[in-house]
Amino acid sequence: MDIISRKTVLQGSIRVPGSKSHTIRALLFASLAHGTSHISNPLPSADCLSAGRAVPLIGAKVDYGGDTDAVWTVEGAGENAHLPDDVVNVGDSGSLLYFMSPIAATFPGWSIFTGDESIRNRPVAHVVDALQQLGCEAHISRPGKNAPPLIIRGPVTNHKVVTDGQLSQYVSGMMMAATRMDGTLEIELTDPKETPYLTMTRIWLESFGVKTTVSSDFKHITVTGPTVISGFSRTIPSDWEAVAFPLIAALMTDSEITIENVDGSGSQGDDAIVHVLQSVGADISWDRIAGNLTIRGGRRAHAPSGMIPGRLSTQKLPAGELHVNLAGFPDAVCAIAVIASFIEGTTIIEDIGVCRKKETDRIDVMKSELAKLGIETEAGSDCLAIHGHSPLTSSGEKNNAFTLHGGTVESYGDHRVAMSLSCLGLGLPEGDTLTVKGAECCSVSFPGFFDVMNRIGAGFVIL
């Protein structure tokens, strides 16, 4: 499926789906629980449905309700949880792969994890090493290939792991698996990244009464098991990773939108994008009590003192540059790279080496695709610099240095690449169009993304 986008104005209110990260954690905890759990506002994305298909392999049952039912019911396996009784195909879900493989390792016997073409190119050597430290057998099936299929033989016999922790998901997986271990699991991280997601896992564990400690620098984590988890009822908060896309779309256009039901709990590190964009003049208001985020872009924006309405600029920042460290929320790299193209000055996105290990090498992909549209970028091993321009000069006139133009770009099957580039097309000069190839991958994290955006005026054409 290809998408065509062009200049537009957005107006109205929008809701984004529930958090993928929370939904998959909820499914896994519910599958291990004793009794029945109810998950409200789950994200019915491809990744979460992959998790829903995987948990019955360890003895749980999932009822997705009716078409309009926003509640999933999970009958937990509890004490009857068992070794996966078939190969676990995680689809395109790295979260499921890294979460569930340590859980499977707590059972005696062999487990096999695989997935689609993308997953079969995702790194797992770090998982193998961690599981071997825990006393399991763990192997990559293809010699010389650091990717699934992943073969594991449990159970866990040791309780100490030292690992870098640059990818947080397998660390969260070990923390979840510790609820099935006898004694205290000690995890030492030498270079922890994506730390807000470790906080999210800690909050889930503590909500079940699991004794958990996480040091302030995230280098020392302990989880004490075994723990009996009882069935629960939870509402999944909105997904900040999804909030980023309508947010940047509004800032690039003469728009005013409100994103409703925004999560203000602090459990998702991606909410830092609001402060980042406000620092360059973005007109964003966040009513944390009501849960509403209002964004005004272009001519509808209100400007901070000394700045032009709708003009984003690094001029008031140190050295005239915007430095964004994304170690805590690297999935925002695509959205920030796109909005940086509309910010006058240089934006340097730092500490994002992990983004080379996602669905695609997001550093190289964003560099190459933005270059096709006239955006000047530079890439390093763990950073991406965008030399952007506002459509407006400091006096409010048309900026001739703004050279963004239309064209055709590739998504490479990466949902965040597809959504960010589709939104970029909404800020094109009048008359230009942008075609995004392979945009159906958006269903991985935001089902119905184009329909939802079209309801507030995006005008995406689906081919």
Side-chain angles (χ1 to χ4, degrees):
M1 179 180 82
D2 298 342
I3 290 294
I4 296 177
S5 63
R6 54 175 54 86
K7 185 177 179 65
T8 193
V9 172
L10 306 177
Q11 183 69 37
S13 298
I14 185 175
R15 284 198 173 202
V16 303
S19 162
K20 181 179 76 168
S21 298
H22 277 293
T23 299
I24 296 179
R25 282 170 173 79
L27 280 168
L28 288 170
F29 281 123
S31 72
L32 296 173
H34 293 252
T36 301
S37 297
H38 303 281
I39 304 171
S40 301
N41 194 41
L43 174 65
S45 71
D47 279 7
C48 296
L49 293 174
S50 290
R53 288 188 293 269
V55 294
L57 299 179
I58 63 172
K61 297 179 181 179
V62 182
D63 182 352
Y64 301 102
D67 291 340
T68 60
D69 193 350
V71 178
W72 291 355
T73 302
V74 181
E75 184 179 328
E79 62 185 9
N80 297 317
H82 54 71
L83 187 77
D85 53 21
D86 199 352
V87 173
V88 181
N89 189 320
V90 302
D92 189 34
S93 178
S95 296
L96 179 59
L97 169 67
Y98 298 133
F99 288 169
M100 193 170 178
S101 51
I103 293 172
T106 65
F107 299 102
W110 292 98
S111 301
I112 303 172
F113 285 79
T114 189
D116 66 7
E117 182 179 3
S118 173
I119 284 294
R120 296 195 306 276
N121 285 285
R122 297 285 287 273
V124 290
H126 56 298
V127 180
V128 168
D129 176 70
L131 293 180
Q132 288 176 345
Q133 289 185 55
L134 291 174
C136 305
E137 286 190 57
H139 307 279
I140 297 170
S141 68
R142 294 175 287 172
K145 184 73 173 179
N146 179 16
L150 173 64
I151 305 170
I152 302 165
R153 184 180 185 181
V156 168
T157 57
N158 299 329
H159 290 77
K160 177 73 177 287
V161 175
V162 179
T163 186
D164 61 40
Q166 290 186 0
L167 289 167
S168 69
Q169 293 161 320
Y170 75 112
V171 180
S172 284
M174 290 188 287
M175 294 170 69
M176 289 186 269
T179 62
R180 290 186 36 79
M181 299 180 191
D182 291 319
T184 298
L185 172 65
E186 299 179 48
I187 305 173
E188 303 291 326
L189 303 181
T190 59
D191 189 19
K193 307 290 185 184
E194 304 181 319
T195 53
Y197 297 105
L198 300 180
T199 299
M200 183 186 295
T201 303
R202 175 185 61 78
I203 291 171
W204 272 97
L205 289 167
E206 290 177 344
S207 74
F208 299 126
V210 181
K211 184 179 179 181
T212 307
T213 67
V214 179
S215 65
S216 59
D217 61 3
F218 291 89
K219 291 187 175 182
H220 308 281
I221 298 172
T222 66
V223 183
T224 300
T227 300
V228 175
I229 298 173
S230 299
F232 55 86
S233 295
R234 298 290 172 87
T235 298
I236 301 300
S238 53
D239 191 349
W240 265 99
E241 294 170 3
V243 167
F245 300 108
L247 191 163
I248 64 168
L251 291 177
M252 294 185 293
T253 55
D254 295 334
S255 301
E256 180 175 350
I257 68 169
T258 296
I259 306 174
E260 300 176 336
N261 194 36
V262 170
D263 178 19
S265 69
S267 65
Q268 302 179 62
D270 305 68
D271 61 6
I273 193 174
V274 171
H275 175 72
V276 168
L277 295 175
Q278 286 174 330
S279 74
V280 293
D283 185 355
I284 305 172
S285 302
W286 187 359
D287 184 337
R288 291 176 179 267
I289 297 176
N292 293 333
L293 195 72
T294 299
I295 306 101
R296 301 175 184 87
R299 289 172 293 184
R300 293 178 182 267
H302 300 119
S305 176
M307 301 184 75
I308 299 296
R311 185 176 190 264
L312 306 180
S313 171
T314 64
Q315 69 186 58
K316 292 194 172 184
L317 299 179
E321 294 179 340
L322 172 61
H323 289 257
V324 188
N325 188 305
L326 289 190
F329 54 113
D331 284 337
V333 66
C334 299
I336 290 180
V338 162
I339 190 59
S341 304
F342 289 75
I343 299 172
E344 188 67 37
T346 296
T347 297
I348 302 174
I349 308 174
E350 302 168 326
D351 211 352
I352 54 171
V354 69
C355 293
R356 294 191 181 278
K357 303 174 184 179
K358 298 289 186 175
E359 285 84 341
T360 59
D361 182 334
R362 287 177 176 161
I363 297 176
D364 282 353
V365 164
M366 294 308 295
K367 181 180 187 300
S368 67
E369 302 313 291
L370 289 176
K372 292 177 182 178
L373 306 175
I375 305 301
E376 183 184 355
T377 64
E378 298 177 68
S381 61
D382 67 347
C383 62
L384 179 64
I386 297 94
H387 304 291
H389 293 285
S390 169
L392 301 173
T393 66
S394 58
S395 59
E397 304 298 322
K398 180 181 177 181
N399 187 0
N400 292 328
F402 181 73
T403 57
L404 176 70
H405 57 75
T408 299
V409 292
E410 301 287 341
S411 71
Y412 299 94
D414 189 325
H415 51 124
R416 302 201 195 285
V417 172
M419 287 186 282
S420 62
L421 292 174
S422 297
C423 288
L424 182 147
L426 305 180
L428 285 172
E430 196 73 53
D432 281 12
T433 62
L434 177 63
T435 300
V436 181
K437 309 289 286 186
E440 66 275 4
C441 57
C442 295
S443 64
V444 166
S445 61
F446 198 149
F449 170 72
F450 298 107
D451 291 336
V452 170
M453 290 294 292
N454 280 349
R455 288 199 285 271
I456 57 171
F460 290 123
V461 177
I462 302 173
L463 300 180

